């Protein structure tokens, strides 16, 4: 698997985790605050970006442009999808 696929896989798993965490933070299980849920997801996204750069190197990830298409876009769509699915299960 090439580097783009590996970065996308890491961010997809992170998006699933962030979506579930956002659901917990916004549904009132601990407390109800959607802003904290979004901030937590952005922190996870940043941490995954740093992890990807350390694992594969900045040159392999292709900087912000490579991270945008291989990391941020899959993370965002999976995160929103998982959050909405869990919110609709309530």
């Amino acid at each position: 698997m090439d580097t783009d696929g590996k970065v996308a896989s890491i961010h997809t798993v992170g998006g699933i985790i962030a979506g579930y965490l956002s659901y917990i933070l916004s549904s009132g299980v601990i407390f109800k605050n959607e802003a904290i849920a979004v901030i937590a997801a952005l922190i996870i996204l940043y941490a995954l970006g740093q992890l990807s750069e350390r694992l594969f190197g900045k040159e392999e990830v292709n900087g912000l442009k490579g991270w945008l298409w291989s990391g941020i876009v899959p993370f965002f769509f999976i995160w929103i999808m998982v959050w909405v699915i869990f919110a609709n299960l309530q």
Side-chain angles (χ1 to χ4, degrees), residues 15-30:
I16 293 169
I17 294 167
Y20 184 68
L21 181 65
S22 294
Y23 162 72
I24 289 173
L25 292 173
S26 67
S27 66
V29 173
I30 299 172

Side-chain angles (χ1 to χ4, degrees), residues 12-72:
T12 300
V13 171
I16 293 169
I17 294 167
Y20 184 68
L21 181 65
S22 294
Y23 162 72
I24 289 173
L25 292 173
S26 67
S27 66
V29 173
I30 299 172
F31 55 87
K32 189 171 183 165
N33 193 339
E34 288 83 8
I36 298 290
V38 172
I39 290 171
L42 292 176
I43 290 170
I44 292 171
L45 176 63
Y46 179 75
L48 290 173
Q50 294 299 315
L51 176 69
S52 295
E53 284 187 354
R54 288 178 192 237
L55 287 176
F56 308 117
K58 282 189 175 188
E59 295 80 27
E60 289 293 320
V61 176
N62 293 328
L64 181 63
K65 182 181 176 186
W67 185 46
L68 174 67
W69 294 112
S70 299
I72 296 174

